[in-house]
Amino acid sequence: MMTVTAWTLKFEHKTRRHIPSASTALTMGSILGLVQAILLISSAKPLLNFMGVGPDSLMLTHATRYLTLRSLGAPAVLLSLAMQGVLRGLKDTKTPLYATGDATNIILDPVFIFIFHLGVSGAAIAHVISQYLITAILFWRLMAQIDVVPPSIKHLQFGRFLKNGFLLLLRVIAVTFCVTLAASMAAHLGPTPMAAFQVCLQVWLATSLLADGLAVPGQAILASAFARKDYNKAAATASRVLQLGLVLGLILAAALGVGLTFGAKLFTRDASVLSIIVMGIPPINTLAFVFDGVNFGASDFAYSAFSMVAVPVLSVMLLSILSASHGFIGIWIALTMYMSLRAFAGFWRFGTGTGPWNFLWK
């Protein structure tokens, strides 16, 4: 019996793959998560002041408490995102789906908010618990497929990650700054416009997740095709993913155009907030996110980074002008233009056949 058990453990150990980049991603995700948590907790009030929540605002106490508690989940969020990336690289898209903590969050939210009467703090606690649950499930599944702990530090690929990671970090900062600035401008308009903006933003994020359903598998298939230099498959995959993205975008545009008018009451019963929500224009970002997946699959990180720096520069100018002249509606018009520019930047690289797509013109 001991011999069989020992042989089984040895066999299972051999079947697990050693992927240095995966170990590096998990290490960096853990470190960055801790750094992010410390920075957010220590600078909560200055950040909220920048966002338009001043010292005399009624939102400050609740917002500070919520941000501080949510920050405790930052290590779990970044680590789970790193593990999801590894699993997608292994073409395992089922595990991230099954491990989602939405069900846990949905169950815990009313418990902490209404039964325990914790309000916004309860919402933050529910989210943090769900994030650590996701991380535990993903880590358990990942350990069955790869050697999570590298044999030694020298096997980690920090240099390669810092090179590509810096480009992606530059891109994320530029993209996040634009949306953050829009939220700050909405907050400066007052609590009611900010509440309406938050509802529209959640609808926006929901459409983003739907777009990821096309972008992520497209990215994995394209990366595999480029690695094998199978350019016919790469072109066919990119074309089909973009076609599906366009169809999905049109469907979402129609659904949001009708649904937001009647479905806003699912978020709030405040008449003043509802009157502003229906004026919101949540931008359709399907094609923008699909193009991101296409360019990431082609490892075109430099273009993705620098194009997304140029786009927010113009978008910030539009936000400043339109928010000052048209208020809440101006913010969403500017964000719609911002997403359109992102989609155009992605199309330009693919459509002109430059960079990794130069084979399209040969």
Side-chain angles (χ1 to χ4, degrees):
M1 182 67 178
M2 291 178 63
T3 304
V4 173
T5 303
W7 180 86
T8 303
L9 291 174
K10 183 178 180 180
F11 176 76
E12 289 179 351
H13 179 73
K14 285 185 176 181
T15 57
R16 289 189 299 180
R17 301 164 62 183
H18 171 56
I19 306 177
S21 58
S23 301
T24 308
L26 299 185
T27 302
M28 293 189 67
S30 302
I31 296 173
L32 291 176
L34 290 172
V35 172
Q36 183 183 23
I38 294 172
L39 290 176
L40 288 175
I41 293 173
S42 60
S43 58
K45 288 188 176 181
L47 286 174
L48 291 171
N49 289 335
F50 170 76
M51 293 296 295
V53 185
D56 56 343
S57 174
L58 298 175
M59 296 185 289
L60 181 60
T61 301
H62 299 291
T64 304
R65 189 181 302 122
Y66 183 81
L67 178 59
T68 302
L69 290 172
R70 277 289 296 266
S71 300
L72 297 175
V77 172
L78 268 71
L79 186 56
S80 65
L81 288 175
M83 288 189 286
Q84 289 180 47
V86 174
L87 289 168
R88 288 168 179 170
L90 297 173
K91 296 184 179 180
D92 179 5
T93 56
K94 290 183 178 179
T95 299
L97 171 64
Y98 297 149
T100 180
D102 291 342
T104 304
N105 207 344
I106 292 172
I107 295 172
L108 293 179
D109 269 336
V111 172
F112 284 107
I113 294 173
F114 301 115
I115 297 178
F116 294 155
H117 303 288
L118 294 177
V120 293
S121 299
I125 294 171
H127 179 81
V128 171
I129 292 175
S130 66
Q131 287 298 327
Y132 277 100
L133 178 61
I134 294 173
T135 303
I137 296 173
L138 291 175
F139 189 76
W140 171 64
R141 289 292 299 166
L142 200 59
M143 286 183 62
Q145 300 186 47
I146 67 172
D147 288 321
V148 177
V149 181
S152 64
I153 297 179
K154 68 179 182 180
H155 287 84
L156 297 176
Q157 301 175 344
F158 285 118
R160 182 181 177 186
F161 262 74
L162 289 175
K163 178 183 177 181
N164 292 328
F166 173 76
L167 293 173
L168 291 177
L169 180 62
L170 183 67
R171 177 185 177 279
V172 169
I173 290 174
V175 171
T176 305
F177 178 77
C178 191
V179 179
T180 303
L181 182 62
S184 176
M185 291 179 174
H188 280 89
L189 295 176
T192 300
M194 183 57 194
F197 177 85
Q198 189 62 28
V199 172
C200 293
L201 183 64
Q202 292 305 314
V203 176
W204 184 18
L205 293 176
T207 59
S208 303
L209 293 175
L210 290 175
D212 271 348
L214 293 175
V216 170
Q219 178 181 342
I221 296 172
L222 281 170
S224 177
F226 273 101
R228 296 196 303 267
K229 296 184 178 180
D230 188 351
Y231 297 124
N232 290 330
K233 183 177 181 179
T237 300
S239 298
R240 180 53 56 87
V241 170
L242 292 174
Q243 290 169 7
L244 293 173
L246 178 60
V247 172
L248 178 61
L250 293 174
I251 294 174
L252 289 174
L256 289 177
V258 177
L260 191 61
T261 303
F262 301 99
K265 292 182 180 179
L266 295 173
F267 298 94
T268 180
R269 296 180 181 178
D270 190 299
S272 58
V273 175
L274 288 172
S275 64
I276 299 178
I277 288 177
V278 296
M279 296 189 297
I281 312 172
I284 301 303
N285 34 5
T286 305
L287 278 179
F289 280 89
V290 170
F291 271 118
D292 285 346
V294 168
N295 286 324
F296 288 166
S299 298
D300 200 4
F301 300 115
Y303 177 79
S304 296
F306 295 127
S307 64
M308 286 305 103
V309 171
V311 167
V313 169
L314 180 58
S315 299
V316 166
M317 294 173 59
L318 291 172
L319 270 170
S320 302
I321 296 172
L322 292 174
S323 64
S325 59
H326 294 83
F328 184 81
I329 296 178
I331 292 174
W332 283 107
I333 293 175
L335 286 176
T336 302
M337 293 180 177
Y338 161 63
M339 296 307 299
S340 300
L341 288 172
R342 283 186 60 178
F344 177 77
F347 175 78
W348 178 265
R349 189 66 152 178
F350 182 76
T352 56
T354 54
W357 303 102
N358 58 4
F359 66 89
L360 293 174
W361 295 92
K362 291 183 180 179

